Amino acid sequence: MTELYNTDILRWTTRIPHTDRLQVADATVTKTSRICGSRISADACVRNGVITEFGQEVKACALGQTTAAIVGQHVIGLSEDELSDIAARFRHMVKTGEADFPDKWAALALLAPVWEHPGRHGSVLLPFEVLESLFAEADHAGN
């Protein structure tokens, strides 16, 4: 467990961006991990398949907070295609411990040790599930 909660991980917990929820949004989603109870609520404005505005409330363990912080660094300008690619790479890492990310997303590799701790998978996957649901809701609304 100590390799999971290292200094680099803990630093990210203080860097969660976009913590003000949006007053007007194209999509709003709340997801809770069944395994650990971590919860993220988020809002997004989506234009032409790209997130232009984003706000989130993160109530998660240090690992979920770290994932939300890293993903949050790149959420503005994120397209559904890019999200699909990074989410697939992240899920592969969570299952195998093998990290393969473009430079922009390289910080996600900090979470590679989580693959050995299935009880933590739900929390680290939550930010991706939230974003996938936000895109689905925005797509449904025609944005």
Side-chain angles (χ1 to χ4, degrees):
M1 270 303 193
T2 56
E3 74 274 7
L4 285 178
Y5 297 98
N6 62 49
T7 304
D8 291 330
I9 294 284
L10 297 176
R11 278 190 191 121
W12 276 103
T13 66
T14 65
R15 297 165 49 188
I16 299 172
H18 310 291
T19 56
D20 293 328
R21 299 290 302 274
L22 302 183
Q23 296 298 314
V24 178
D26 297 319
T28 297
V29 171
T30 297
K31 292 278 186 180
T32 304
S33 169
R34 294 183 323 241
I35 297 171
C36 66
S38 291
R39 185 178 71 244
I40 297 176
S41 299
D43 315 295
C45 291
V46 179
R47 296 293 174 266
N48 301 316
V50 174
I51 294 177
T52 58
E53 294 179 60
F54 182 76
Q56 65 183 340
E57 179 180 21
V58 179
K59 300 219 183 239
C61 68
L63 299 172
Q65 290 177 44
T66 296
T67 310
I70 294 168
V71 171
Q73 302 295 314
H74 307 295
V75 73
I76 302 300
L78 182 67
S79 70
E80 194 166 3
D81 287 343
E82 183 180 11
L83 172 64
S84 294
D85 176 55
I86 298 305
R89 291 170 186 257
F90 191 77
R91 286 184 173 102
H92 175 77
M93 183 190 75
V94 168
K95 287 181 185 175
T96 67
E98 300 167 4
D100 176 31
F101 298 103
D103 288 344
K104 174 180 173 180
W105 294 93
L108 288 170
L110 288 172
L111 294 152
V114 80
W115 82 277
E116 295 181 300
H117 306 277
R120 302 292 186 245
H121 292 185
S123 183
V124 298
L125 291 169
L126 209 52
F128 292 100
E129 293 170 2
V130 165
L131 287 168
E132 289 164 341
S133 293
L134 286 169
F135 273 115
E137 189 175 310
D139 288 347
H140 183 72
N143 295 312

